[in-house]
Amino acid sequence: MTPPRLLDALDRVLRTRVAVVSGPAGHGKKRLVHAWLEAHPELESRWIAAPQELDEVEPARNPSELRVLVVARPKLLADSTFVSRALELAERDPSIRLVFAGRSRPDAPLGSLAARGLLVNIETDQLALTRDEVAQLLTPDNPDLPEFALDTIMESSGGWPAVVQMLTGETLTWAHSSSAVRLADSYLVDEVLSGLDEQDIALLQELSPLPTLDPLAAAWMTGRGDAAAQLSRLQAHGVPITWDDANTIRLNPLLRAHLGRQLARERPEEHAHLIERASLWLRNRQRPMEAMGLAMQAGLLDLAWMIAGEFITINMDRPNLVHSMPELVELLPPGWEIDIVRSISRGMATPQTMVAQMSAIDPQLLVERNDTGRLGYVALALGMVRKVGYPCEVDVSLALEIAGSLDARGIHELDHALLAAVHTEYGLYLLHHGRLAEANEQLLAGLGLARVVNVPWATVCCLSALSYLNAEQGAVDSSHRLADEAILTGSDTVFSTDSLDEFAILGLALTAVDTGDLASARRWLDTLDQHAELLRENDAFRTHVRCAVAVMQGDPAQALRLVEAFRDEAATQATEMHAMLVGVSAVDAAITLGDVALAEHEYQQLMHLDLPEMGSRLVVLQARIFLARGDARAAHEMLRPLAEGQVQLEHPKDTLYSLMIFGVAADELHRPDEALRAFQRAGVLAERLGLDTPQARHTTVAVASRQEVPLTTAERHVLEHLDASKTLGETAEELFISLNTLKTHLRRVYKKLGVANREEAIDRARVMGLRPRTD
């Protein structure tokens, strides 16, 4: 029964000093030592049973004759004082070889011996029998034993010597696994579990659903932070537990199966709950196939489909889905879902094909499905529509009807994860269709659920899209906070390279534009360019932000080229929201470029779009066009109800820009009081939003300029004669004062006006009426 390879391994102690043979019950540790000693009759051996027996070991009469001291008593192995004395004796007497054999390693630091090459380790993985060794033991009595039977025995037993030994006396048939189970159960009950209390057995049962564990997984399954430490203690008592490394723990497969069967028989509800927890752990650790397999084995079909639906929704068009498809097809429960997945595996599954297949599903099938099935359908349908850019001709009315009526009442706890995916997809659908208030509501709901049930990709998507929505409305601080969380969360998930945080980066770039930070805006766009995989459905949003940055850096012609390139792409402007975004960018660039005719043409195209929540943006564009063509009166009349508080715009940022435009128009119409009030309101709003655009800075200057500034006669005289085209020396000569006197006056003027340089002082003087207008 003892493999020759183990005898050879133990032979190495003859060349060193100390051997440690450690492993769980039933791994043949003592049998190995006995067989090794029988193979070496020339060795004098002694099994130490008590601490005082070390004192009875006399010095060797002939140092060349080796003596073996074997310590196999658990109490002695756990006695650090005794172990230290034994090691000292082995070090002092070159004729002594020391062998420790037990379920746990001796309680002493052995690192120095190992470093010096004086230690031989034989542990659980070596003590377990190999497939060839099992075959040699079983085939004499079962010459026709098939190969798959050996594979099954190895998989179920892990090469556990005690179990294989019991099988050697059996005539194995196709039901050989039943024999293994029966014999293993008997051995486990009598030899392994009989010495454990109820709490220890309950702990092992809670951990049995997972094939491999780490300290976090053990804590998750049991709710106990010390679960891993308890496993170490149980291993020392002979429970077949293997630590592959510091963070990888395995229960023997036969032990896992026995514990699972026992729990399912005695407490079936608790067993199902543990399987759910284990499946969710695997799914949260990005091991969906294992999670689905575990759920399917336990008959939890709804849970299996929830994980499958989420996996498909997330990974459509990604290589790992294609590679996983054969296994996925085998795992999924029967129904229309499996037909969809099979079409993917056959290479027919472009997103367009998926949308067509789902649109063709008989609504009655969905009525008959449970909540999980309906949620899976909606998440998958909206996910596929997003993949193809939300084309208007695709009928997703059924999915929208279900999504619009969803809430958490009556839904199984596990379905909340899929419900989070539905809210996320529905929120993105609404955002792409310009229904911003509803999108905000759905995304907030999705974010809350995704955080509770730990759906990382949905968390990142919701945070990211909410960041962009806040940026569009001018809420800089909120946008930054949400974007930072989205990027941080994304960096901690396996989806961090898939651009799920793209909206967050677009939001950061947009707020950089609004705060006048060109360097940051360009940096965020550069970050976006480095993403491994851009989400094509966001092309319109990306173009919109790129155009804003191009205009900000003084290149409106580049912005118009970006708009043209977007419109030349196939499948662009699939929604009215996409058309609105690029149209707004075109109007902004045309006005900045001075091409009023083009701006008016683009504006007329926007007027045909039915997007009520974007109406405030059209108000700003129309007013800007009026100013661009020199019609300040039209802009003034258009915005008067807003300035007088009779109407309100949908978004604060549009209100800010409208007040700025009204102030400029009133100023040009020589209505200083109206201009001052508009600029004051705009300044307060800009400060509340955290905006610092060039227009907002001009507003601050204008407000301050219209307040009385206590300038002396000499200071006013200097301010009236400042000329940016002349040097200060030339100005001083013109005013018949010294250069130092002029500089002194200017320092005081700058301080009183709150400006930084001569150009700003000249602009301020013009607003104050101290200089003639240039227009």
Side-chain angles (χ1 to χ4, degrees):
M1 180 65 186
T2 302
R5 61 180 174 83
L6 293 178
L7 298 176
D8 293 340
L10 200 49
D11 275 343
R12 285 186 290 137
V13 75
L14 300 177
R15 301 189 299 274
T16 58
R17 292 295 176 89
V18 180
V20 174
V21 182
S22 59
H27 276 69
K29 301 172 290 296
K30 291 182 181 179
R31 186 184 304 110
L32 168 61
V33 177
H34 278 296
W36 178 69
L37 291 174
E38 290 177 1
H40 292 281
E42 75 280 6
L43 297 177
E44 178 186 343
S45 63
R46 180 172 184 174
W47 292 69
I48 304 297
Q52 60 270 22
E53 292 185 18
L54 282 181
D55 300 328
E56 300 172 2
V57 178
E58 299 178 354
R61 293 186 296 272
N62 184 359
S64 64
E65 295 180 358
L66 299 181
R67 297 176 294 169
V68 179
L69 302 183
V70 182
V71 179
R73 294 287 179 91
K75 289 184 178 180
L76 296 181
L77 291 171
D79 185 342
S80 58
T81 302
F82 168 80
V83 172
S84 296
R85 288 177 54 213
L87 292 172
E88 289 175 4
L89 178 60
E91 288 254 27
R92 186 172 63 250
D93 190 336
S95 69
I96 288 179
R97 297 296 180 264
L98 191 59
V99 177
F100 295 106
R103 294 174 175 178
S104 60
R105 293 170 64 80
D107 186 11
L110 301 173
S112 61
L113 286 173
R116 293 155 54 198
L118 301 180
L119 181 68
V120 175
N121 270 315
I122 300 177
E123 299 181 326
T124 306
D125 57 341
Q126 293 172 275
L127 292 170
L129 299 176
T130 66
R131 187 181 186 281
D132 290 340
E133 290 165 351
V134 171
Q136 290 174 10
L137 288 169
L138 299 184
T139 51
D141 295 325
N142 298 275
D144 298 325
L145 189 67
E147 292 293 322
F148 76 85
L150 284 173
D151 293 336
T152 303
I153 291 170
M154 285 301 299
E155 183 180 345
S156 63
S157 70
W160 196 356
V163 174
V164 176
Q165 178 66 44
M166 287 186 288
L167 287 175
T168 56
E170 296 284 324
T171 300
L172 302 177
T173 65
W174 62 272
H176 61 275
S177 57
S178 299
S179 300
V181 167
R182 176 173 50 81
L183 293 170
D185 281 354
S186 174
Y187 182 81
L188 285 165
V189 171
D190 296 338
E191 302 294 334
V192 178
L193 301 178
S194 61
L196 304 181
D197 59 30
E198 292 183 1
Q199 291 184 342
D200 288 338
I201 293 177
L203 175 73
L204 291 171
Q205 287 176 332
E206 290 172 349
L207 296 172
S208 63
L210 283 174
T212 58
L213 296 159
D214 59 33
L216 285 177
W220 162 274
M221 291 298 297
T222 63
R224 296 175 54 173
D226 68 340
Q230 295 301 323
L231 287 178
S232 294
R233 177 179 61 81
L234 291 174
Q235 182 192 37
H237 282 78
V239 178
I241 299 168
T242 304
W243 288 76
D244 293 344
D245 53 50
N247 287 305
T248 306
I249 316 164
R250 288 186 290 113
L251 272 65
N252 180 275
L254 287 173
L255 175 63
R256 284 185 58 231
H258 171 79
L259 293 168
R261 286 192 303 273
Q262 182 184 35
L263 187 61
R265 183 173 57 252
E266 297 173 356
R267 300 190 298 279
E269 292 184 0
E270 183 179 344
H271 178 254
H273 175 68
L274 287 172
I275 294 295
E276 290 174 358
R277 287 184 64 81
S279 298
L280 286 176
W281 171 264
L282 293 170
R283 160 224 178 220
N284 293 343
R285 289 288 167 161
Q286 317 309 331
R287 295 158 64 183
M289 293 303 165
E290 293 177 69
M292 280 184 272
L294 185 60
M296 288 295 295
Q297 290 172 16
L300 301 175
L301 302 187
D302 285 353
L303 174 59
W305 171 239
M306 181 205 78
I307 298 170
E310 181 184 68
F311 178 73
I312 297 169
T313 303
I314 296 170
N315 292 288
M316 180 56 62
D317 287 347
R318 298 181 190 170
N320 56 326
L321 182 64
V322 176
H323 296 157
S324 303
M325 202 51 57
E327 185 178 355
L328 187 61
V329 170
E330 295 302 320
L331 287 175
L332 279 177
W336 55 265
E337 302 98 331
I338 194 68
D339 294 332
I340 292 174
V341 177
R342 283 199 176 109
S343 71
I344 302 173
S345 64
R346 293 168 184 161
M348 298 157 46
T350 63
Q352 291 85 349
T353 304
M354 288 290 292
V355 170
Q357 282 191 282
M358 302 196 77
S359 299
I361 292 173
D362 183 353
Q364 185 60 35
L365 292 177
L366 285 176
V367 173
E368 295 171 355
R369 289 298 295 173
N370 56 20
D371 289 324
T372 302
R374 285 188 287 272
L375 288 171
Y377 165 78
V378 175
L380 191 54
L382 293 180
M384 292 306 98
V385 172
R386 172 166 56 84
K387 290 288 185 183
V388 296
Y390 301 102
C392 298
E393 65 272 13
V394 172
D395 180 14
V396 289
S397 56
L398 183 60
L400 296 178
E401 182 181 344
I402 297 173
S405 62
L406 287 176
D407 59 40
R409 291 175 300 176
I411 294 178
H412 193 281
E413 178 184 359
L414 291 171
D415 288 337
H416 287 164
L418 203 50
L419 183 59
V422 172
H423 280 300
T424 301
E425 291 291 359
Y426 190 33
L428 292 172
Y429 177 92
L430 295 169
L431 172 57
H432 279 269
H433 283 79
R435 295 159 60 182
L436 306 184
E438 293 177 78
N440 189 76
E441 180 180 344
Q442 289 291 328
L443 291 167
L444 285 173
L447 177 60
L449 278 170
R451 281 172 165 165
V452 169
V453 295
N454 189 22
V455 186
W457 74 271
T459 302
V460 175
C461 280
C462 289
L463 287 168
S464 188
L466 287 167
S467 169
Y468 183 84
L469 279 172
N470 277 265
E472 278 287 353
Q473 297 170 12
V476 174
D477 290 342
S478 297
S479 178
H480 282 191
R481 176 178 54 79
L482 291 163
D484 289 345
E485 188 176 353
I487 294 171
L488 179 62
T489 304
S491 67
D492 291 336
T493 75
V494 297
F495 309 118
S496 60
T497 60
D498 291 323
S499 303
L500 295 181
D501 58 0
E502 181 181 348
F503 265 128
I505 297 175
L506 289 174
L508 289 169
L510 196 58
T511 56
V513 171
D514 287 338
T515 55
D517 189 352
L518 177 59
S520 292
R522 294 174 67 175
R523 176 168 55 84
W524 284 119
L525 288 183
D526 289 343
T527 300
L528 202 60
D529 291 338
Q530 295 169 9
H531 269 225
E533 176 188 335
L534 293 176
L535 302 177
R536 299 298 299 172
E537 64 268 20
N538 295 338
D539 280 352
F541 295 89
R542 197 158 46 244
T543 299
H544 176 60
V545 176
R546 290 188 189 280
C547 288
V549 173
V551 170
M552 181 185 182
Q553 64 186 8
D555 193 358
Q558 171 63 15
L560 289 175
R561 287 192 292 272
L562 289 171
V563 169
E564 184 179 357
F566 172 82
R567 289 171 173 171
D568 286 341
E569 288 284 336
T572 57
Q573 296 186 21
T575 73
E576 291 192 333
M577 181 63 175
H578 298 160
M580 173 65 75
L581 288 170
V582 295
V584 166
S585 298
V587 174
D588 182 34
I591 292 174
T592 306
L593 195 62
D595 191 340
V596 179
L598 177 59
E600 290 180 332
H601 171 74
E602 291 286 351
Y603 179 79
Q604 291 302 318
Q605 300 302 311
L606 295 178
M607 292 294 291
H608 296 298
L609 301 177
D610 183 20
L611 290 171
E613 292 185 54
M614 297 298 290
S616 61
R617 190 66 49 86
L618 297 180
V619 170
V620 174
L621 294 178
Q622 178 68 82
R624 288 184 63 195
I625 289 173
F626 284 148
L627 283 184
R629 70 186 184 199
D631 193 350
R633 187 171 300 280
H636 181 272
E637 291 304 314
M638 178 183 178
L639 298 177
R640 183 199 292 273
L642 172 70
E644 294 178 353
Q646 299 174 13
V647 298
Q648 292 183 339
L649 296 182
E650 186 76 25
H651 301 304
K653 189 165 70 172
D654 294 332
T655 300
L656 169 64
Y657 289 147
S658 295
L659 289 171
M660 291 178 181
I661 295 169
F662 181 82
V664 173
D667 188 49
E668 292 189 5
L669 294 173
H670 305 290
R671 300 180 180 183
D673 293 340
E674 288 185 358
L676 177 58
R677 286 194 297 272
F679 285 141
Q680 286 175 328
R681 284 183 60 194
V684 171
L685 184 55
E687 184 176 355
R688 177 167 65 83
L689 293 175
L691 297 181
D692 189 29
T693 61
Q695 298 94 322
R697 288 196 296 274
H698 174 72
T699 297
T700 304
V701 172
V703 171
S705 300
R706 293 179 180 279
Q707 297 170 345
E708 186 159 349
V709 180
L711 296 176
T712 66
T713 301
E715 290 167 350
R716 294 174 69 87
H717 185 62
V718 166
L719 188 56
E720 289 171 351
H721 289 82
L722 275 182
D723 190 337
S725 65
K726 297 179 181 179
T727 66
L728 290 181
E730 292 172 340
T731 301
E733 289 180 7
E734 186 177 320
L735 296 173
F736 298 103
I737 58 177
S738 70
L739 180 59
N740 285 338
T741 301
L742 174 61
K743 290 181 177 179
T744 299
H745 285 316
L746 286 178
R747 282 197 298 272
R748 293 172 179 168
V749 168
Y750 292 170
K751 183 176 181 181
K752 291 179 179 181
L753 296 182
V755 298
N757 52 50
R758 185 169 28 162
E759 288 74 13
E760 290 184 7
I762 292 172
D763 288 341
R764 179 71 177 277
R766 186 175 292 111
V767 175
M768 293 172 64
L770 298 178
R771 301 176 64 83
R773 295 182 179 276
T774 58
D775 52 355

